[in-house]
Amino acid sequence: MNDLSRRTLIGGSMLLGLAAAATSADAQTSAHDEVVELWPGPPPSSTGATITRKIADQSKDPAHLDRWVTGIARPVLVVYRPARPNGTAALVMPGGGYGFLSYDNEGVSQAAWLNARGVTAFILLYRLPSEGWNDRADVPLQDAQRAMRVIRSGAARFGIRADKIAVLGFSAGGHLAGSLATRHAERTYAPVDATDTLSARPDVAGLIYPVITLDQPFTHVGSRDMLLGPNSSVAEQRARSVERKVDATTPPTFLVHAADDGLVPVANSIAMFDALMAAKRPTALHVFEDGGHGFGVRLPRAQSASAWPGLFATFATRQGVAL
């Protein structure tokens, strides 16, 4: 199945299919994984609804898992430490149209190449808006803001520098990473402890085939409706369109898209690039001829978009965050 047909499963039928694949609550992690809770108690916007972890492996190759995760009642960070850390960290946000998390393709695989460069990776399992939360549109950003603060507060024990933390997001995870980059100072939840006195601003952002706008004709409707609900107003859509939130505090931002992306139009990345340029923020945009959508780091070298990790590393390093 190609990336386009897989991603267009987002919605009610996809969630019903995932329900048949239920496993234990920690099935997406291994016994040796280091897992960090985000919240000391129930996360904000909780309704007390029962939410059960579910896993569905889309892969037909046992050597390469491709698990989709839903049912995230307790958001966590899964920590991947490199053999030779360089002091830099990356908060990784898998995509999935705000309806699931593409844990392996846009999480574990990303941690592997980051670790190879000495970067400590933190995969964020963030809450999904439609799973029974109040203030559904704020729930993913609440987790993203808290995750950056938790990483920063634990810098010493993680062996990283608090001023060398990137965010890397894919597809709808790119929308979340972009939202963190542009709305890091916005109060989306009541502070719960001293960690919430710290900045949630990333030091550099990488947005890979991202969903950016929610109010333009080139938006990804599935992501928009999963985040806001099917009957959102134009005002709600504009309030959460990333390109409308760029300002002088937005961190340096790297953008990647494939021209043949049939799911999230390349116009999303172009709109973000234009907004960053207008705000005079450091930015780079790479639009490749081929690659489609959801390519992660698994493209063969013959496809041009496979070059993006090295380009992102160069960009981040130039901005003072060595990858």
Side-chain angles (χ1 to χ4, degrees), residues 113-114 117 254 307-319 321-323:
W113 78 264
L114 290 163
R117 289 180 173 271
F254 174 90
W308 78 262
L311 294 169
F312 177 51
T314 298
F315 175 83
T317 300
R318 285 176 59 86
Q319 304 305 321
V321 182
L323 293 184

Side-chain angles (χ1 to χ4, degrees), residues 3-305:
D3 288 323
L4 177 56
S5 60
R6 289 171 61 235
R7 291 274 182 167
T8 51
L9 290 173
I10 296 170
S13 61
M14 185 279 298
L15 293 175
L16 287 173
L18 284 173
T23 62
S24 68
D26 294 321
Q28 84 290 349
T29 61
S30 301
H32 63 274
D33 280 341
E34 182 180 356
V35 178
V36 177
E37 294 271 356
L38 288 189
W39 306 97
S45 302
S46 177
T47 64
T50 299
I51 301 172
T52 303
R53 182 68 53 84
K54 304 176 183 71
I55 314 296
D57 188 1
Q58 308 301 307
S59 177
K60 294 179 173 59
D61 179 359
H64 295 94
L65 295 173
D66 189 8
R67 292 164 290 182
W68 289 358
V69 181
T70 62
I72 300 167
R74 302 274 307 176
V76 298
L77 292 166
V78 184
V79 187
Y80 281 76
R81 296 179 184 254
R84 290 181 291 277
N86 66 5
T88 299
L91 174 58
V92 181
M93 299 179 175
Y98 286 121
F100 66 96
L101 299 184
S102 180
Y103 182 72
D104 291 298
N105 183 43
E106 294 168 352
V108 177
S109 294
Q110 309 308 320
W113 78 264
L114 290 163
N115 283 177
R117 289 180 173 271
V119 179
T120 303
F122 298 81
I123 303 173
L124 176 59
L125 295 181
Y126 55 90
R127 288 171 292 157
L128 301 170
S130 66
E131 293 190 333
W133 305 100
N134 290 321
D135 306 313
R136 62 182 289 164
D138 291 331
V139 162
L141 185 56
Q142 289 171 350
D143 291 344
Q145 290 179 339
R146 177 71 180 181
M148 184 60 70
R149 291 167 175 145
V150 166
I151 294 170
R152 200 156 263 143
S153 69
R157 70 184 176 97
F158 294 131
I160 63 170
R161 288 185 51 174
D163 61 349
K164 305 291 182 185
I165 306 175
V167 67
L168 182 61
F170 300 81
S171 194
H175 181 270
L176 181 54
S179 297
L180 181 64
T182 55
R183 298 169 61 196
H184 50 85
E186 184 176 321
R187 181 168 168 169
T188 63
Y189 63 90
V192 296
D193 55 28
T195 295
D196 289 322
T197 65
L198 300 176
S199 171
R201 180 184 181 273
D203 297 297
V204 68
L207 311 183
I208 316 303
Y209 42 85
V211 176
I212 292 294
T213 193
L214 299 185
D215 75 320
Q216 298 292 343
F218 50 84
T219 190
H220 180 244
V221 173
S223 295
R224 182 196 68 196
D225 289 354
M226 290 301 272
L227 181 65
L228 302 180
N231 300 307
S232 59
S233 67
V234 172
E236 290 172 321
Q237 294 166 11
R238 289 181 175 174
R240 291 169 175 83
S241 290
V242 178
E243 81 281 9
R244 293 181 178 273
K245 299 296 184 177
V246 173
D247 63 18
T249 71
T250 302
T253 302
F254 174 90
L255 296 142
V256 167
H257 231 105
D260 65 349
D261 190 327
L263 188 59
V264 177
V266 68
N268 281 268
S269 284
I270 293 171
M272 185 65 175
F273 180 76
D274 287 345
L276 289 157
M277 290 291 288
K280 296 181 170 53
R281 301 306 299 144
T283 185
L285 168 63
H286 295 272
V287 178
F288 293 98
E289 175 188 5
D290 55 4
H293 188 79
F295 48 77
V297 290
R298 295 181 177 176
L299 284 176
R301 290 190 178 183
Q303 289 189 269
S304 56

